[in-house]
Structures are given as C-alpha cells and as structure tokens.
Amino acid sequence: MDHSSDDGAGYGGAAQDEAGARRRYRSVFLSDVHLGTRGCRADFLADFLRQVECERLYLVGDIVDGWRLRKSWYWDAHHDEVIRLVLRMARHGTEVVYIPGNHDEMFRDWLGLEVAGVRLAGEAEHLTADGRRLLVMHGDAFDSVVRYAKFIALLGDWAYDTALELNRLFNLARRRFGYPYWSLSQWLKRQVKGAVKAIDRFEGAVALEARKRGFDGVVCGHIHHAEMRVIDGVLYMNDGDWVESCTALVEHADGRFALVDWAAERRLSFFRPRARREEGRRPDARPAAEPA
C-alpha cells in the first residue's frame, strides 16, 4: 500500500506492473549495509536487488564495513551476491553512484574514479522527475562524535555490536516461547534520551546544510534511522539500513518518494537461518568482485 503524501514523500510505495514482475523505480537509495559484519542482512538485500529495476542506484555510504574487516574477516555467499547484483545492474545500464561513508572511508581515496561501471563521489546532486534538487550524502560529516572524536565513535560501534548480539540472544529466547522477532537494540536506542536528541540534532543539521546550499531536500544515511519529513521547508530523507530496519528509499517515475520496508513487505523472518554452506567466517574467502 502506498502512503505517499503531497510533498512527494511516503511509506510503502511498491511499484509492480503485475504479479511476479520486477518493481520498476526511477531511483533507488541504499546505505548502511555493513557488508563484512555478521549483523548485515545481505540475504534480504540480495532478495531486494533481484526484484527491482531502476535508472539510478545511489549507494549512500557504509556499504562495506572496513572498520570490522580490518579486525576480522567475515564474508559469505550472500555478500558475494549483493556485489554481483550491483555490478550486473551497472552493466545493464543503471547509473550507479557510490558515496563512501565513515565505515568505508578507504574508498574516499578513489573519489572521481569509475570502477566496473560504479562511479565514486563524495556527494551527489539528484534531480527528481518533478524538478526538485536533492543533496545526496552519507552524513557522517554532521555527526560530531565521528568528526571530532573517532575513539568515542569506535567505542560506540563496539556498543552497537554488543547491542546487536544481546538482541540475537534476546530473540532466541522469544522464539523459544513462541513470540515474534522484536528489536531490542532499536528499542534501547529509542529509550535513551541522548540518542533521540542526537538523531534530532543530526537531522536538523543535515537539513540546514541542504537549505544553505539551495537544495530542496537531502538524502542521507549514517544513523540507521529511516525517516522522511519536512524540516524548515527542506525534505529530509534517510534510507535506513540493512542490519535491522532493512529499508530502501525509492523514487517513482513521477517524482514521488517512498520508504520500502523490505523485510515487512516480503515477510522475511529474522529468525530464518542462512543456508549452511553460506554461513560462517571464512578467513581465506574474498569477494567475487571488488566492492568499488
């Protein structure tokens, strides 16, 4: 069901010509996939990428988690499949723009290059079908913790990973007693007043930057909080993540935007085990292609 509103933003918005057909969008925005971590739902993302076609695909940062891969190597067949599908889209005419974030900052040394049809950029300007100018960026430059105190950011990254592990154990217990999946880590984030205030400050700062530069709106990621709202006349859109929310931001042919909650739409279970051959840490494994 499409809940799009008059300002061109909404939730849902599946575009499907007929049963079984691929969904066709003008543009798709993805971020915070964190390939290389056990929490990454690359299996869900691969399912999404197999079902969509688009003219433009924006990878809005933290697609690959270089921080984690430097500490330990984790890469399974689902991770390979995500890379393969993105490169296939590029080969078949989709304009793919990769905007590195803080976790894949190593790719910022390659800005301006095009690798296997994927163009790397520090940020991008997107012109919507109805003529609006959007600033597209990861957003970590507006996170004062990441910008000015990287040690604290790394500590926060550890805390987030710990919360995800607690979330896994918590849901194992819920499953045993017949209860559905419920995100403990997201609930904790919402309950911490400081986290809520930080999200508000981040969203306000990003929207203000877009307004100062004359943009009609902004698309970003970074904080793992899917959202679409108007802030001081600027359309703020965050595409969420593929660790917990598993959301994508999509633009329809007429310029309307929607957040797609893929796990909910497809009724994908976070309890569902990955195929046995695709599990586990493989120290000798490498991606099938460079993540560009």
Side-chain angles (χ1 to χ4, degrees), residues 90-108:
R91 286 197 307 272
H92 286 79
T94 297
E95 180 185 348
V96 182
V97 180
Y98 189 165
I99 300 169
N102 50 305
H103 281 259
D104 47 13
E105 60 191 351
M106 61 279 191
F107 295 130
R108 287 175 172 166

Side-chain angles (χ1 to χ4, degrees), residues 62 77 86 93-94 148 153 161 186 199 202 223 231 266 276 279:
D62 288 1
V86 169
T94 297
Y148 299 113
D161 288 341
Q186 286 192 341
I199 289 173
F202 173 86
I223 60 172
I231 303 175
R266 298 278 287 179
R276 189 174 183 85
E279 282 190 314

Side-chain angles (χ1 to χ4, degrees), residues 168-184:
R168 186 183 69 83
L169 297 173
F170 175 74
N171 275 288
L172 284 175
R174 283 179 62 86
R175 185 182 189 184
R176 172 167 290 187
F177 289 103
Y179 292 106
Y181 180 88
W182 185 75
S183 178
L184 172 66

Side-chain angles (χ1 to χ4, degrees), residues 4 11 24 30 39 81 96 103 110-111 124 129 184-185 195 266 275:
S4 300
Y11 287 84
R24 295 179 177 85
L30 305 169
E81 180 73 355
V96 182
H103 281 259
W110 298 358
L111 297 183
L184 172 66
S185 50
R266 298 278 287 179

Side-chain angles (χ1 to χ4, degrees), residues 76-283:
D76 65 21
H78 295 299
H79 292 57
D80 278 339
E81 180 73 355
V82 167
I83 299 299
R84 187 186 68 80
L85 289 167
V86 169
L87 295 179
R88 186 179 72 177
M89 292 173 75
R91 286 197 307 272
H92 286 79
T94 297
E95 180 185 348
V96 182
V97 180
Y98 189 165
I99 300 169
N102 50 305
H103 281 259
D104 47 13
E105 60 191 351
M106 61 279 191
F107 295 130
R108 287 175 172 166
D109 293 337
W110 298 358
L111 297 183
L113 297 180
E114 183 174 307
V115 181
V118 178
R119 179 167 61 88
L120 286 102
E123 61 181 40
E125 176 180 332
H126 177 70
L127 185 65
T128 68
D130 53 6
R132 289 175 292 174
R133 293 174 60 240
L134 303 181
L135 174 62
V136 186
M137 59 181 176
H138 181 62
D140 60 293
F142 295 87
D143 184 336
S144 59
V145 171
V146 173
R147 191 174 184 182
Y148 299 113
K150 190 164 185 177
F151 172 76
I152 299 176
L154 291 168
L155 185 62
D157 184 57
W158 172 84
Y160 182 65
D161 288 341
T162 302
L164 289 176
E165 180 60 20
L166 289 173
N167 186 70
R168 186 183 69 83
L169 297 173
F170 175 74
N171 275 288
L172 284 175
R174 283 179 62 86
R175 185 182 189 184
R176 172 167 290 187
F177 289 103
Y179 292 106
Y181 180 88
W182 185 75
S183 178
L184 172 66
S185 50
Q186 286 192 341
W187 180 83
L188 289 171
K189 190 189 301 182
R190 289 195 297 269
Q191 301 312 305
V192 178
K193 290 183 179 179
V196 174
K197 290 180 179 178
I199 289 173
D200 286 341
R201 287 197 301 268
F202 173 86
E203 293 175 347
V206 169
L208 177 60
E209 176 68 12
R211 184 158 61 88
K212 283 181 178 178
R213 294 169 60 177
F215 287 93
D216 300 300
V218 60
V219 178
C220 62
H222 185 56
I223 60 172
H224 294 216
H225 184 72
E227 181 68 272
M228 297 205 310
R229 64 189 180 104
V230 176
I231 303 175
D232 294 331
V234 174
L235 179 59
Y236 168 87
M237 297 184 284
N238 191 302
D239 54 28
D241 68 273
W242 287 84
V243 178
E244 293 182 276
S245 65
C246 297
T247 53
L249 177 69
V250 299
E251 179 193 9
H252 293 276
D254 59 2
R256 288 177 300 116
F257 280 84
L259 276 171
V260 176
D261 184 339
W262 192 248
E265 285 194 19
R266 298 278 287 179
R267 298 182 180 179
L268 300 175
S269 172
F270 284 83
F271 289 134
R272 184 183 69 188
R274 296 176 174 89
R276 189 174 183 85
R277 66 181 178 83
E278 297 170 340
E279 282 190 314
R281 180 178 168 186
R282 297 161 49 198

